[in-house]
Amino acid sequence: MAARITRQVRRKQPISVNIDGEASRAYAGETVASVLLAAGVTVFYRTRSGQPRGPYCNMGACFECQVKIDGDWQRACMTVVEDGMNITTGARKSAP
Amino acid sequence: MNTELAIIGAGPAGLAAAEIAAARGIDTVVVDEQARPGGQISRQPPADFAVENWLPGSIYKPVKQLLAGAGAPGATRWLPQTTVLALQHDPAAPLPHRYRLLLNNAGNTSELEASCVLIAPGCYDMPVIFPGSNLPGVMAAGGIQAFVKSQQLIPGERFLFVGSHPLQLIVADQILQAGGQVAGVVFAQRLSALWSLLKSAPLFIRHGAKMVYFTRALIRLLLKRVPIYFSRTVVQAHGDQQLQNVDIAAIGSSGTIQAGSRRNIDCDRLGICFGFLASSELARQVGARGRWSAAGGGWIIDHDPWMSTDLPGLYVAGEITGVAGADASICEGRLAGLGIARELQKIDAASAARLAQRTRTQLKSANLFAAKLLDLSYPGRKLLQQLMTEQSMLCKCEEVSIADFAQCLAENPFINDANAAKLLSRAGMGLCQGRYCHYHIAGLLAETRGIRERQIKPFNARFPAKPLTIKSLLDKRDDQLP
Ligand code: FES
């Protein structure tokens, strides 16, 4: 599982997001990818054939970190977390 | 809205050009996908974090200096978290309308017109295809590094790094220092290749800071007893839903992977570090002339001594001209800035030439170092293609395997360009728009058809350069940008 670095780092008061219906802690400025990894999420989405996928490039190029945020597919590594976001992980892509 | 200069990318090259543009009174807009300027090399922590002693290494000094003035409100307009979806050139249009950029900021699209455009989009880690390469937990080494540098997150527990680029030593060291475990660093090269870099006296004299930084990282890893392997490569990643362990195998003296030498290493993160590919899609979309460089980033863009492409008013700087690192990018950004100032008549030709002189000398030296590094770190097509077993995914988005693609080529013997291969096989049609398969498709086509990679026409870079929802397009705001 991922861990936040705390030495020499000060974050603001935690905020809260829902990951698959469960409340989880997040900090202002974090990307959704960081919040999910820190919460132990590994499978961000599933391909059409059902294969699990998770972040690869962490810079917006690969589209492997997609999750549903408040119902829309987004790249988790390029989305800054907001209080109260509803994040769905592991959803499967449907045929185009 | 319009501007004299649009800079795409706020990394070292874009920042260096922006600095010069500002000093010469050029009306400039800088567009970047990240929340804060810096590019990947100096990806800043979020503004909401307070980080003490961020990137202390001396190699980060030049970029950190550039960052000092960047992003602040002033004459230069900064558009963070903004993607360029399209770049169009209209040769007949009067100056401020010569280039049109379609921008996307969090689902809001808008247009920007510019007299000159500098494309400085940087690069991304070269993807490598092998069985299990798409398992969650397999990541680009640069992606791992960005979590540490910017998000202040150790994105896993036990890391293994594999590749052929020395950057993996630096990332492994950063993980250790942040408190993560490193199971090993695996180099495809022989130990002697790395030694040849370390013992190169001229490099040490001219690039002392970099070499010392690199050597220190190596020493710290050795002191912590991190195993460093040579002449070995990843061959398979295993795990149920998530990476659990990785097979590595020896590479024989002829460059052939020795199947019998497999050994298994437990890890939950695998960092892939075989070099970088240039982000040339916008330059290709607008029609700038380029060429293939297998070791230097795939499709890269041609330019003159002022960093101008073959299209008037269109400039390039940084990794898009061939992957050469931050120091070279800064030099090229400066030259592009001067070149643009010259074209816009904000500086006379003689002064521009004089000001460029020192930068040109620095660039030459940075390029020498970069060439040496590329020589050392290019894994070669032979190794890459041995990793691609039949069942590995060539196109991870559309799930086209190596076997599927080979069959498609066998059934269509007259196909030898990437676009036709894409239409027939679907490889390259997914959301990443070929960024992760294009390089390998060129290699496979070259191998199968017995031609050179540079003879293969690259994927057409279509609009939009990054996918967006139809809704954001319909909501296009033609009014002004912030
Ligand atoms: S991890 Fe590649 S786009 Fe987010």
Side-chain angles (χ1 to χ4, degrees):
Chain A
M1 202 157 113
R4 291 182 172 93
I5 300 169
T6 51
R7 201 167 56 96
Q8 298 188 316
V9 184
R10 259 179 305 121
R11 295 174 173 83
K12 296 194 168 158
Q13 284 301 309
I15 55 178
S16 171
V17 293
N18 287 308
I19 304 176
D20 302 321
E22 284 202 28
S24 195
R25 192 166 46 107
Y27 293 89
E30 287 186 326
T31 63
V32 171
S34 296
V35 174
L36 293 178
L37 288 176
V41 172
T42 54
V43 181
F44 279 47
Y45 82 101
R46 285 179 191 281
T47 63
R48 289 202 285 272
S49 79
Q51 293 304 307
R53 295 288 172 85
Y56 183 86
C57 72
N58 190 23
M59 57 180 280
C62 74
F63 288 77
E64 292 293 84
C65 64
Q66 294 176 78
V67 290
K68 282 198 159 176
I69 300 177
D70 296 323
D72 291 330
W73 285 109
Q74 303 280 359
R75 288 168 295 172
C77 76
M78 297 297 282
T79 311
V80 177
V81 72
E82 280 167 29
D83 195 42
M85 263 182 176
N86 286 300
I87 306 162
T88 309
T89 71
R92 189 161 167 172
K93 289 273 165 173
S94 49
Chain B
M1 87 156 195
N2 59 52
T3 180
E4 285 180 297
L5 170 62
I7 297 179
I8 304 172
L15 291 177
E19 199 175 69
I20 290 194
R24 296 281 148 191
I26 300 171
D27 179 27
T28 303
V29 176
V30 184
V31 187
D32 191 85
E33 285 194 294
Q34 292 295 333
R36 301 181 76 188
Q40 295 303 319
I41 171 113
S42 47
R43 208 151 119 194
Q44 300 194 70
D48 286 318
F49 287 21
V51 180
E52 272 169 62
N53 205 15
W54 177 67
L55 299 188
S58 56
I59 54 162
Y60 294 113
K61 224 160 120 198
V63 234
K64 279 169 82 176
Q65 266 164 7
L66 276 175
L67 270 179
T76 307
R77 282 167 292 174
W78 301 86
L79 302 182
Q81 291 178 293
T82 303
T83 301
V84 181
L85 298 171
L87 174 60
Q88 289 166 346
H89 174 224
D90 181 354
L95 259 203
H97 313 292
R98 187 158 64 170
Y99 286 94
R100 263 182 62 211
L101 293 81
L102 182 63
L103 308 177
N104 178 16
N105 170 288
N108 298 312
T109 50
S110 57
E111 253 177 52
L112 171 66
E113 292 184 325
S115 306
C116 292
V117 174
L118 169 64
I119 313 183
C123 60
Y124 56 100
D125 295 73
M126 179 199 283
V128 170
I129 296 166
F130 55 89
S133 56
N134 304 123
L135 260 181
V138 179
M139 286 188 64
I144 292 174
Q145 194 187 29
F147 274 120
V148 179
K149 278 182 189 173
S150 168
Q151 288 283 300
Q152 302 291 318
L153 181 90
I154 311 168
E157 267 166 43
R158 196 174 150 79
F159 293 77
L160 178 70
F161 292 90
V162 296
S164 53
H165 198 288
L167 173 73
Q168 57 180 349
L169 288 172
I170 307 244
V171 186
D173 175 49
Q174 285 167 334
I175 288 286
L176 270 187
Q177 293 200 46
Q181 292 172 43
V182 178
V185 183
V186 182
F187 278 94
Q189 299 90 336
R190 275 176 279 212
L191 173 61
S192 55
L194 210 66
W195 271 127
S196 80
L197 183 75
L198 284 179
K199 354 180 261 234
S200 163
L203 285 185
F204 253 107
I205 294 162
R206 281 164 182 256
H207 303 276
K210 251 188 243 166
M211 302 295 277
V212 167
Y213 185 77
F214 172 79
T215 314
R216 279 210 184 123
L218 181 63
I219 291 171
R220 276 194 294 260
L221 290 168
L222 293 172
L223 286 177
K224 290 262 173 125
R225 300 189 185 286
V226 171
I228 300 181
Y229 305 88
F230 294 92
S231 301
R232 283 189 175 67
T233 179
V234 60
V235 282
Q236 188 161 7
H238 304 276
D240 172 36
Q241 311 299 311
Q242 143 77 25
L243 179 69
Q244 282 155 334
N245 52 70
V246 168
D247 283 348
I248 64 169
I251 303 171
S253 49
S254 61
T256 311
I257 297 173
Q258 320 276 287
S261 66
R262 277 194 187 220
R263 63 179 282 185
N264 185 268
I265 299 176
D266 281 341
C267 57
D268 69 339
R269 283 291 179 273
L270 176 64
I272 304 290
C273 198
F274 284 86
F276 304 91
L277 299 183
S279 300
S280 61
E281 55 280 349
L282 284 170
R284 283 186 283 124
Q285 190 187 76
V286 71
R289 191 182 64 221
R291 77 197 128 95
W292 178 263
S293 166
W299 267 92
I300 57 175
I301 303 302
D302 292 336
H303 58 85
D304 73 4
W306 294 105
M307 309 312 295
S308 171
T309 66
D310 61 329
L311 297 180
L314 184 72
Y315 292 74
V316 282
E319 314 296 26
I320 189 170
T321 69
V323 173
D327 291 348
S329 298
I330 292 175
C331 295
E332 290 189 351
R334 285 202 190 114
L335 293 177
L338 288 170
I340 291 161
R342 206 167 147 260
E343 178 173 342
L344 294 173
Q345 294 175 353
K346 305 279 172 134
I347 187 172
D348 62 86
S351 316
R354 190 166 34 77
L355 287 172
Q357 226 166 39
R358 228 185 94 213
T359 305
R360 292 196 196 283
T361 316
Q362 287 169 344
L363 177 60
K364 217 186 231 164
S365 152
N367 277 339
L368 277 179
F369 182 80
K372 182 99 187 152
L373 198 58
L374 277 189
D375 248 9
L376 168 84
S377 57
Y378 174 54
R381 201 160 85 195
K382 178 168 180 185
L383 175 63
L384 295 174
Q385 293 198 345
Q386 285 177 80
L387 299 178
M388 303 179 193
T389 58
E390 293 215 321
Q391 292 324 308
S392 356
M393 273 313 154
L394 172 61
C395 167
K396 62 178 184 55
C397 301
E398 293 297 301
E399 303 190 276
V400 181
S401 70
I402 295 288
D404 296 337
F405 190 71
Q407 189 188 343
C408 172
L409 290 191
E411 285 167 3
N412 300 280
F414 301 110
I415 295 292
N416 60 7
D417 87 283
N419 289 298
K422 165 170 146 182
L423 288 176
L424 284 164
S425 67
R426 296 194 63 81
M429 277 198 195
L431 286 186
C432 87
Q433 286 159 307
R435 286 178 178 84
Y436 282 75
C437 63
H438 182 199
Y439 183 85
H440 299 296
I441 285 180
L444 288 169
L445 272 168
E447 194 70 33
T448 321
R449 300 296 190 233
I451 49 179
R452 309 289 294 263
E453 284 149 323
R454 62 178 145 83
Q455 294 171 279
I456 297 166
K457 199 171 159 287
F459 280 161
N460 294 332
R462 291 182 197 287
F463 163 83
K466 296 244 168 118
L468 79 167
T469 58
I470 301 280
K471 187 171 159 285
S472 358
L473 269 185
L474 295 177
D475 287 351
K476 185 153 92 72
R477 296 181 312 178
D478 280 320
D479 48 57
Q480 52 308 113
L481 295 160

